Amino acid sequence: MVRLTLIFLLIIFKTEAQTSVLNVADSLFAHGNYSKAIVQYNRHDNQPEVYHKIAKAYIAIGNYDEALINYEKGVETNPENTLLKYDFGKFLYRTKNFKKASEVFNKLVYTDYKNPNFHYELGLTLEQLKDSTAQNRFYSAFQLDSTHQKAIFKIAKYHLKKGHNKLADKYINTGLSSYKNNKELISLKAQNYYVRQQYENAIIWFEKLLELGESSEFIHEKLSLCYVQLYEYKKAITHRKLALQFNPNDATAIYVVGTYYEKLDDFRSAEEYISKALSILDQPLDAEYMKLGTVLNHQKKYKEGITALKKAVRENPTNEFSNLHLAITLETYYADYDAKINALEDFTKKFPNSKLNSFIEDRISKLKNEKFLKVDKKED
């Protein structure tokens, strides 16, 4: 009897000791002492009970190989633990082991077909494997839970990419009816209006993203493009400049701001931005230099305009329009009639078959006539 009592007391003592070990390990984990928690978990007699906890602790310190080993041990020793398998599947997905993750989620779907998140997670994995059936899983998740925001986003995005605008709208509106501030769906709605060229509506929804604290290069760029379509160049400039805060050396965006200033006849600002863009760009720039030359000419800065247009010609000597623009600017800049005429004749020599030559020859004829009249007047 005494012996049985002692055995019973030892069992109780050991159980309490193991409970204490587990409590200490859990406390260490909760306070971020992951390595010490692992040491304590490894002291626990019933390892299958703590494999998943050890795995999570290894994830926390970035040791994914040990995490994988402990997850696999946990799944092997707890084959009925659905939650453990679910965590294991998500771990495999995060570590880009998509094939194995798909196997885990497939089994989970088979085990509990009515769990929408199992379908959703399987859909994400299949998407990474470039498997077209991923959309079926997202749709199943939606059918099981019509408020599943993440599944709705995936379905709506798919239809938007395919150009199924009405279907995209249908799913977007369904999602927003249960969560009106879903930023991802609001972004899709704005983009859906944008691709359909409904710019005023697109502006409303892009602006809503800003109201919700979602400021990004993409949003401001799209708002700028919308305002350009409505000829509201000041607002277009404002948003392009905000977009540039995210990417200050985006030469294309800087150049575009310059073209918007040109539309407002603010040629000084246009010159500033186009010049800055040209200093950054490293590619054929004949069109950009020609634009700069135009802006400078509007300010009667003909000398600077000639320099810019000569650069345009050097960038692409076969561009008739930049050559023509240079010839006309030289004609305007030169005071001497012979110099004016020579500048225009140089164009006709360079492009003898150009359709623009009739225009050039007409200008040459007028200049020669003006020169003759001026000389004739002097002789009188």
Side-chain angles (χ1 to χ4, degrees), residues 220-221 224-225 228 232-245 247-278 281 288 291 295:
H220 288 296
E221 180 185 307
S224 179
L225 292 169
V228 165
E232 296 189 44
Y233 292 106
K234 287 184 179 179
K235 290 182 179 178
I237 289 168
T238 297
H239 284 287
R240 271 289 180 171
K241 285 183 177 180
L242 288 169
L244 277 167
Q245 290 180 5
N247 188 4
N249 292 318
D250 184 344
T252 301
I254 295 168
Y255 175 77
V256 165
V257 171
T259 65
Y260 294 166
Y261 273 120
E262 185 195 11
K263 296 289 186 182
L264 294 171
D265 291 340
D266 184 349
F267 301 116
R268 184 173 296 177
S269 297
E271 176 191 350
E272 176 190 344
Y273 277 86
I274 293 172
S275 296
K276 185 178 179 181
L278 292 174
L281 286 167
E288 288 78 2
K291 177 66 74 174
V295 166

Side-chain angles (χ1 to χ4, degrees), residues 276-287:
K276 185 178 179 181
L278 292 174
S279 69
I280 296 170
L281 286 167
D282 184 21
Q283 58 186 31
L285 302 171
D286 50 310

Side-chain angles (χ1 to χ4, degrees), residues 29-30 54 75 84 147 174 176 194 198 225 239 248-249 268 313 361 363:
F29 184 94
I54 297 172
V75 171
L84 173 57
T147 66
T174 298
L176 291 175
Y194 180 83
Q198 297 180 25
L225 292 169
H239 284 287
N249 292 318
R268 184 173 296 177
V313 170
E361 287 165 2
R363 290 181 74 91

Side-chain angles (χ1 to χ4, degrees), residues 148-164:
H148 198 298
Q149 297 290 309
K150 292 180 178 180
I152 291 168
F153 171 76
K154 286 292 184 181
I155 296 168
K157 185 178 179 181
Y158 170 81
H159 285 301
L160 182 59
K161 280 187 172 181
K162 291 293 183 180
H164 308 153

